[in-house]
Amino acid sequence: MKLSLAFTSLALSGVTQSLCPFAERALGDREYLKRSLEQQVGQALAKEEEAPKGKRQSGPGGIPFTTFDPDQLVDVTGEYAWVAPGPGDLRGPCPGLNALANHGYFPHNGVVPLATGASATEQVYGLAPDFGIPLTVYATLVDGDVVDDTWSIGGKPPQIVTSPVLGAGDGLSGSHNKYESDASVSRGDYYLYNGDVSSVKLEKFQSLYNLQSDAAVPNYDLDVLIQHRQYTFDNSLNTNPYFFYAPFAGVAVSNAAHTFVPALMSNHSAEYPNGILDKETLKSFFAITEDANGTLTWTPGYERIPDNWYRRPLGVVNEYSPVSFAQDLVQIAAVVPEAVSVGGNTGTVNSFAGVDLGNITGGAYQTSDLTNPTKFVCFFYQLTLALVPDFLRSESLGSALGGALSLLQDQISPFVDPSCATIANYNDSFAAEFPGAAVGQP
């Protein structure tokens, strides 16, 4: 299997400041970086061979964790102690990524080398490489710097590459409808808040928080987040005339953001080997404090991994993978079927019109396939391979285009089952029906 040179030739200029320990070693020792990525990819490709069907531990739809190991403790001391972001540090719409930067698992400035994104999310959260690598590659190619192979967890970073034409990408905060989407867990819709998709909207968080207000043992598990998924979808539907829900940013990423909360933020212990996400842990990850009167306050950029927090166990059957997400998506669809519908409002609130997925994918995938875990995993990878080249060709990449396309193929294709249907003709003309599709686009 080929390992893209883009992984092993990360530019040293401009990203050596405020680096996390892994990134410092990786950028200084390319053989270390190559070995690390080869190991990540190898583990991911072994999943389907080593994990029997139906044996993934992915919440209510999977097999519960039965063991707990103290080694699951995530270090938040010393070099990984929490440090508040400074004036030049970037933070964005994803609380889990912001926390990684605040603890030094990501560079503190919020500009992440490509390989670090996948390794740190696995190390800290137990996100499987076959999920973390594609998401990181997508972020780099669609929202990041294809020369330095970096991406920002927030807005556009300072100019750090040699080519002023390419720039450094717009970051996750500038990726509306490409990566970031309406109907977020806690952030506002782009149109409703003049492009501010990074700030927590307390009424959204309060809605989630209140779902366990009367629970004897509060736990924001998948069932609770599915209730919140109904609220967030309906909130956009009923308040945003330009609500748009794209195939990747909406159906895949927006839903994954909801499942990531219990799957990746729950605290595991001998008492709760399957994890529990209580109020204090939830607030810590979302940078929320609560006073004696119950009033909630958000402090921008202060997301924190709690002390004595134990991640889900690692290993090919334990980490949260595309298969895990596909299983959880089936449960979301059973309660909120509209959450797996591509489409949007048509200029007025509550005017959602759905789109036939078969028309978008040239018949390769139908809407019903989104609730078939095997077909959804195929759809996820094939959609990534189909979308990114169009995004890249719309930019002024010049000679960098070939390398970017090679990176995409080299890093995504190894995860794709050869039996998956290929999206040979992705038809994005459907977006013209929805005024929200153009919101936030240049």
Side-chain angles (χ1 to χ4, degrees):
M1 179 183 60
K2 294 184 294 183
L3 182 70
S4 171
L5 291 177
F7 272 128
T8 58
S9 60
L10 297 174
L12 298 180
S13 63
V15 290
T16 54
Q17 299 178 356
S18 304
L19 287 178
C20 57
F22 174 85
E24 286 185 318
R25 183 176 177 187
L27 290 175
D29 183 349
R30 291 176 177 176
E31 286 304 310
Y32 169 75
L33 176 57
K34 181 177 179 179
R35 290 194 303 272
S36 175
L37 284 165
E38 286 176 336
Q39 182 180 21
Q40 290 179 52
V41 174
Q43 288 176 343
L45 294 175
K47 285 182 181 291
E48 293 306 317
E49 296 179 4
E50 297 185 22
K53 299 291 185 181
K55 294 297 184 181
R56 293 196 177 275
Q57 302 172 345
S58 58
I63 306 300
F65 298 118
T66 57
T67 60
F68 169 74
D69 190 325
D71 287 344
Q72 292 170 225
L73 178 67
V74 172
D75 189 3
V76 292
T77 64
E79 61 188 5
Y80 298 117
W82 184 87
V83 178
D89 295 325
L90 299 169
R91 300 294 182 266
C94 179
L97 300 184
N98 293 344
L100 289 176
N102 290 340
H103 283 279
Y105 286 100
F106 274 3
H108 198 262
N109 63 6
V111 180
V112 185
L114 175 57
T116 306
S119 63
T121 52
E122 181 185 25
Q123 176 187 358
V124 176
Y125 295 127
L127 186 68
D130 57 348
F131 214 167
I133 290 175
L135 290 177
T136 302
V137 168
Y138 186 93
T140 302
L141 296 181
V142 173
D143 313 312
D145 186 327
V146 300
V147 173
D148 273 359
D149 286 335
T150 60
W151 53 281
S152 162
I153 65 174
K156 190 177 183 69
Q159 187 78 20
I160 59 175
V161 298
T162 56
S163 171
V165 177
L166 297 179
D170 294 323
L172 295 189
S173 298
S175 67
H176 188 62
N177 289 337
K178 294 187 293 184
Y179 205 135
E180 175 276 325
S181 175
D182 292 333
S184 162
V185 173
S186 65
R187 270 58 178 176
D189 287 5
Y190 189 104
Y191 175 77
L192 295 179
Y193 294 96
N194 298 314
D196 178 10
V197 297
S198 295
S199 298
V200 166
K201 303 307 170 189
L202 281 173
E203 63 273 18
K204 269 194 172 183
F205 184 86
Q206 186 81 61
S207 175
L208 171 59
Y209 195 64
N210 289 347
L211 290 175
Q212 292 291 280
S213 59
D214 298 326
V217 181
N219 182 17
Y220 296 87
D221 60 12
L222 181 61
D223 290 336
V224 174
L225 265 294
I226 289 174
Q227 294 180 60
H228 189 58
R229 168 79 284 188
Q230 184 75 72
Y231 167 80
T232 57
F233 193 95
D234 288 349
N235 179 262
S236 292
L237 177 72
N238 296 324
T239 63
N240 182 2
Y242 292 151
F243 170 39
F244 182 62
Y245 204 63
F248 187 87
V251 173
V253 176
S254 180
N255 282 318
H258 287 71
T259 68
F260 281 2
V261 173
L264 305 183
M265 294 181 179
S266 292
N267 195 7
H268 298 256
S269 64
E271 182 180 5
Y272 296 103
N274 209 39
I276 184 170
L277 182 53
D278 61 20
K279 290 183 176 182
E280 294 307 311
T281 302
L282 182 74
K283 288 185 292 185
S284 182
F285 273 112
F286 279 84
I288 300 290
T289 55
E290 184 175 9
D291 67 16
N293 296 319
T295 301
L296 301 179
T297 301
W298 173 61
T299 304
Y302 271 47
E303 292 84 356
R304 182 192 294 258
I305 300 170
D307 293 338
N308 299 312
W309 183 80
Y310 295 77
R311 53 154 171 75
R312 65 191 294 135
L314 300 183
V316 294
V317 299
N318 298 328
E319 296 171 11
Y320 196 75
S321 69
V323 173
S324 309
F325 170 54
Q327 293 171 342
D328 289 347
L329 188 61
V330 172
Q331 297 187 62
I332 291 176
V335 179
V336 195
E338 55 270 35
V340 293
S341 299
V342 176
N345 282 342
T346 56
T348 59
V349 298
N350 203 26
S351 61
F352 191 92
V355 179
D356 184 347
L357 191 63
N359 291 338
I360 300 174
T361 63
Y365 295 93
Q366 306 298 324
T367 301
S368 60
D369 293 334
L370 301 180
T371 53
N372 178 316
T374 300
K375 290 185 177 181
F376 177 84
V377 172
C378 285
F379 171 75
F380 170 72
Y381 290 130
Q382 293 290 349
L383 182 63
T384 303
L385 291 171
L387 279 177
V388 173
D390 283 346
F391 288 138
L392 291 174
R393 291 186 182 102
S394 69
E395 304 293 333
S396 300
L397 297 183
S399 60
L401 177 60
L405 292 174
S406 293
L407 170 64
L408 175 70
Q409 290 292 332
D410 289 349
Q411 301 306 324
I412 307 298
S413 295
F415 298 126
V416 180
D417 188 326
S419 66
C420 289
T422 301
I423 303 176
N425 298 296
Y426 182 79
N427 180 10
D428 63 359
S429 63
F430 77 95
E433 303 175 28
F434 305 101
V439 169
Q441 304 306 305

